[in-house]
Amino acid sequence: MSEANYDISSHKWAETLHEFLELAGKAVRDFNYERALSYLTTMEEVWEQKGLPTYSPELRCDLYNEKGKVLARLGRIPEAIAEYQKLLTFCQEQNLSDRKVEIFLEIGQLLIKTGEMDSALGYVHRALSGYRRQKNPMGLCRSLRNLGVIYFELGEFDDAEAACEEAIEIAQGEGLGLLYADIYNNLGTVKNVRGDWKGALECYIRAQAVYDKEGEIRKSAYALNNIGITLLEQDRSDNAREYFLSALKTAAAVKDESLCLILNINLTDLWTRTGDYAEAEKYNRSALTYLETNNLRNSQLAEARKQAGKIACSRGNHAAALGHFDEALKISRNLGLQYIEAEIMFERGNLYLMTEAHMEALASLESAYRLYNQFKAAGRLKKTEGLIGSVEELYLKVFEAMADKVDRKDPYTKGHSDRVANLSLCLAQNLGLPDPVIKTIVAGALLHDLGKLDIPDEILNKKGRLTKEEFDEVKNHPDYGVRLLAGINLPWEVIPLIRHHHEHYDGTGYPSGLSGELIPTGARVVCVADVFDALTSERPYRDAFSAEKAIQVMCEEMAGTFDPAILDNFIALIKSGRVDDIVNRHTDRDEMYKIWAQCRVKTEEAVAS
């Protein structure tokens, strides 16, 4: 080809490439992303097969950029990332440093969708630094917005809110209306998970007003979805369903696969909460099919797997439910999604409870409790206290199931443990002990005689005096109780209380012969309550003592057994009459729940204040 001919044909080919790009842009505006991708793919093939020159770096950048955006809209995230990586390489070769900043942000946004939060954080920070250097307010807002999304996914809610607020301030000052709305939408999500539903709705409604004004129907659908989430959290299922279905209709019309996925997950949650598991399964299947087809292992897959587990659990398919929960757990742990991990552990603990796998239930619930409590301790989640309360309720169900076994073996022990827990609670509060210590003492008191499950019936229910050998066997029950809880990390340090509640202050107790302050405080409290209740309860071999007689015996015949300060405090409590309704009373079926409710009073008052 002559030089002159090359120039002419080259010029024509450049026009052709621009036409392909324009046709792709029109298809995007019509929400026909498959057609747009076809134009862009043809454009690239022609460019490469004809061996055409670069023409202009901007044209090549526009090709990769548009192709990446279209692939992202189609939900083909890994391919979109690959396209932006090609663009990044091209920009490095052409020394287009300013353009690289935008690519860092695009790749970071896509990595968020794949759940690769560490990598996403790196790219978004590079974009943020670049935009600060360029003094680009729009870029800064977009980077901060995505930074907030990453922090949100990682459960760093304070950091997420701070990023949103900084971005809102910039957007407001620069008159960036749509970005201002986008960031308010994100801020609403943070407020929603914190339980600030009024604040969340205000954010979403403010964002939607801007979207409607600007004719942004796709973004308006995202706001509708978020309003639905908030209404669902308030148990307003009918209202939430209307918003979800309206948003889904728009998402389907504009062919936004990512929003369709989100809405399928949210509608699964809605139908699961309302008990319509057939509808829940329909939407859950759609979500899982999309996620697996696109090979996405992100927070949405973890959530969809968790929901599949709940659906299977409702149908009694416990093995399938456990499989879904375990897969969801693996994903959340790999991606560092601790808040979702906590929810999965909670659901798995509930499943184990249903199947009477009590020890496994305790292990799962302990993990959930630890994670939820971690969020609360960092001041990140007002809603967490309620979730922790739910976990505690499940612990109590496990305790109740264990107590039922003890009750069937020795009817005296169940009522005894309830009364000891109640007395220990009153004594611990009277001593002014901190709330976490009080909960530990009550939990230990409820389980302190668990080891009697391993004591032979003929010894446990013997009416006469025990032989030395028989008493030696009874003395093993603290260690038997510890053995039954081996490998389980309860949220309360109950093991020392179970093991040492028969230690004596003068060192003559068992099993370790501890003395004085070496005996855990909780064990010294439970010891006082345990002995007092044993003396004031009717046994097969003797009548119950009065409270006055029991105190006399404890002070005169057993003085070396107790911590003097704790015993004095207990005596004052008895004389005040504040525990009269506990002494030797028949306990109700739900006694331990009533006791625990008293443990939580101070915590709830503190949260409310």
Side-chain angles (χ1 to χ4, degrees):
M1 182 183 293
S2 69
E3 189 70 27
N5 289 336
Y6 178 84
D7 288 342
I8 293 170
S9 62
S10 177
H11 177 72
K12 289 180 179 178
W13 279 120
E15 288 182 350
T16 300
L17 295 177
H18 277 290
E19 286 175 7
F20 276 125
L21 195 61
E22 288 173 5
L23 287 168
K26 183 178 184 303
V28 167
R29 290 190 293 275
D30 293 336
F31 308 114
N32 194 334
Y33 300 119
E34 291 288 358
R35 179 175 294 177
L37 181 61
S38 176
Y39 286 131
L40 292 167
T41 302
T42 302
M43 176 183 175
E44 187 171 16
E45 288 173 352
V46 168
W47 208 331
E48 298 299 329
Q49 290 173 6
K50 298 294 182 181
L52 302 175
T54 300
Y55 298 115
S56 74
E58 288 302 318
L59 183 60
R60 178 71 76 164
C61 287
D62 288 342
L63 166 62
Y64 292 140
N65 189 46
E66 288 303 312
K67 196 174 176 185
K69 286 182 178 178
V70 168
L71 286 165
R73 291 282 175 84
L74 288 169
R76 294 160 62 175
I77 307 301
E79 294 173 72
I81 292 173
E83 207 63 36
Y84 281 113
Q85 292 288 4
K86 283 163 55 176
L87 177 55
L88 186 60
T89 300
F90 179 78
C91 288
Q92 288 170 337
E93 291 171 351
Q94 298 291 323
N95 197 28
L96 302 174
S97 57
D98 287 348
R99 192 72 185 254
K100 284 198 303 183
V101 177
E102 175 68 19
I103 304 165
F104 290 147
L105 185 56
E106 294 291 349
I107 294 174
Q109 290 178 147
L110 293 171
L111 287 169
I112 290 170
K113 293 184 177 182
T114 65
E116 300 170 72
M117 294 303 161
D118 287 342
S119 297
L121 193 61
Y123 277 102
V124 172
H125 269 302
R126 290 169 79 181
L128 186 63
S129 297
Y131 284 129
R132 287 195 195 282
R133 189 171 58 252
Q134 295 174 4
K135 297 181 180 178
N136 182 330
M138 181 174 286
L140 277 173
C141 283
R142 293 177 61 219
S143 300
L144 287 166
R145 175 193 171 200
N146 282 281
L147 195 60
V149 172
I150 294 170
Y151 285 139
F152 177 85
E153 290 289 348
L154 294 173
E156 304 286 347
F157 300 120
D158 282 347
D159 292 335
E161 190 163 351
C164 287
E165 287 174 347
E166 183 181 352
I168 285 171
E169 186 177 347
I170 295 170
Q172 193 170 25
E174 297 291 332
L176 304 173
L178 280 176
L179 261 176
Y180 177 79
D182 290 344
I183 300 158
Y184 257 110
N185 214 1
N186 288 11
L187 181 59
T189 303
V190 178
K191 289 182 179 294
N192 187 31
V193 81
R194 285 183 181 274
D196 181 6
W197 296 314
K198 181 181 178 183
L201 283 172
E202 288 174 355
C203 288
Y204 297 144
I205 291 168
R206 183 177 297 190
Q208 190 188 21
V210 175
Y211 296 146
D212 289 345
K213 180 182 177 183
E214 298 293 331
E216 289 282 346
I217 59 173
R218 186 180 68 88
K219 290 189 173 185
S220 181
Y222 275 92
L224 289 174
N225 168 68
N226 289 335
I227 291 171
I229 293 171
T230 306
L231 293 170
L232 186 58
E233 289 296 331
Q234 295 175 286
D235 295 323
R236 296 165 61 183
S237 301
D238 290 343
N239 301 110
R241 183 175 66 251
E242 291 176 13
Y243 279 94
F244 287 149
L245 292 176
S246 177
L248 185 59
K249 183 178 179 181
T250 300
V254 302
K255 299 180 181 178
D256 190 324
E257 298 290 343
S258 294
L259 181 54
C260 286
L261 168 64
I262 291 167
L263 285 158
N264 279 323
I265 289 173
N266 290 338
L267 282 162
T268 301
D269 187 25
L270 184 147
W271 291 118
T272 301
R273 292 191 193 201
T274 56
D276 191 336
Y277 295 104
E279 281 294 300
E281 186 174 33
K282 181 178 74 174
Y283 288 104
N284 183 247
R285 193 184 301 116
S286 295
L288 285 172
T289 299
Y290 175 85
L291 288 159
E292 289 163 1
T293 300
N294 290 280
N295 197 30
L296 296 175
R297 289 181 65 82
N298 54 15
S299 62
Q300 292 163 331
L301 181 59
E303 180 65 27
R305 284 289 182 194
K306 184 193 79 176
Q307 291 175 344
K310 292 174 71 174
I311 294 167
C313 194
S314 74
R315 293 174 172 169
N317 194 343
H318 298 139
L322 185 59
H324 286 302
F325 290 147
D326 285 349
E327 177 63 19
L329 188 62
K330 187 187 302 182
I331 296 165
S332 63
R333 283 178 172 169
N334 285 343
L335 300 177
L337 308 173
Q338 290 191 319
Y339 191 75
I340 294 178
E341 179 183 344
E343 292 183 323
I344 296 163
M345 294 303 289
F346 178 87
E347 295 297 342
R348 195 170 73 159
N350 202 12
L351 169 62
Y352 280 131
L353 190 64
M354 290 171 62
T355 57
E356 297 189 352
H358 299 134
M359 296 306 176
E360 291 86 350
L362 285 174
S364 292
L365 294 174
E366 186 277 332
S367 295
Y369 187 98
R370 175 174 48 79
L371 288 167
Y372 282 139
N373 204 45
Q374 174 182 311
F375 291 126
K376 186 187 71 169
R380 292 171 179 155
L381 202 59
K382 294 177 182 177
K383 184 181 175 184
T384 302
E385 182 61 29
L387 295 173
I388 290 174
S390 297
V391 174
E392 290 179 350
E393 289 293 315
L394 285 179
Y395 272 114
L396 291 178
K397 288 180 183 177
V398 174
F399 293 171
E400 183 178 49
M402 291 177 172
D404 281 344
K405 290 183 178 180
V406 178
D407 195 16
R408 288 194 294 271
K409 188 176 183 70
D410 179 12
Y412 156 76
T413 305
K414 171 61 168 66
H416 168 69
S417 293
D418 285 344
R419 289 190 298 272
V420 171
N422 217 336
L423 290 167
S424 297
L425 168 63
C426 294
L427 178 53
Q429 289 176 335
N430 209 46
L431 288 164
L433 298 177
D435 184 66
V437 175
I438 292 174
K439 286 186 177 181
T440 301
I441 289 171
V442 173
L446 289 169
L447 296 174
H448 79 283
D449 274 343
L450 179 63
K452 289 187 177 179
L453 283 171
D454 285 350
I455 303 294
D457 290 351
E458 59 271 18
I459 295 177
L460 199 61
N461 297 316
K462 185 175 179 179
K463 293 187 176 181
R465 280 188 172 277
L466 300 178
T467 65
K468 180 182 182 303
E469 291 76 16
E470 290 169 336
F471 186 57
D472 285 343
E473 176 63 12
V474 170
K475 287 164 66 176
N476 288 325
H477 81 269
D479 284 330
Y480 291 162
V482 170
R483 185 174 66 188
L484 285 169
L485 295 173
I488 303 300
N489 296 316
L490 298 174
W492 311 288
E493 295 292 327
V494 300
I495 296 299
L497 276 69
I498 294 171
R499 183 185 292 277
H500 298 300
H501 71 278
H502 278 294
E503 304 286 0
H504 292 174
Y505 203 71
D506 62 5
T508 62
Y510 62 87
S512 302
L514 299 181
S515 63
E517 301 294 321
L518 294 177
I519 306 169
T521 301
R524 282 179 269 148
V525 170
V526 173
C527 178
V528 171
D530 184 27
V531 172
F532 177 80
D533 186 72
L535 292 173
T536 55
S537 299
E538 188 171 336
R539 300 311 312 273
Y541 49 85
R542 63 158 174 80
D543 292 333
F545 290 177
S546 67
E548 293 76 14
K549 174 65 174 175
I551 291 297
Q552 182 183 351
V553 170
M554 292 170 74
C555 290
E556 296 177 4
E557 300 177 25
M558 306 175 66
T561 301
F562 312 108
D563 179 326
I566 292 177
L567 180 60
D568 287 345
N569 196 288
F570 185 70
I571 291 170
L573 192 63
I574 295 294
K575 289 181 177 179
S576 72
R578 287 164 52 194
V579 295
D580 286 353
D581 60 341
I582 301 174
V583 179
N584 199 20
R585 69 182 289 264
H586 173 74
T587 60
D588 298 328
R589 173 74 181 175
D590 61 348
E591 189 76 22
M592 65 173 62
Y593 296 94
K594 295 176 182 176
I595 297 167
W596 198 260
Q598 296 177 66
C599 288
R600 297 181 59 196
V601 167
K602 288 200 293 185
T603 301
E604 290 170 354
E605 288 176 349
V607 170
S609 64

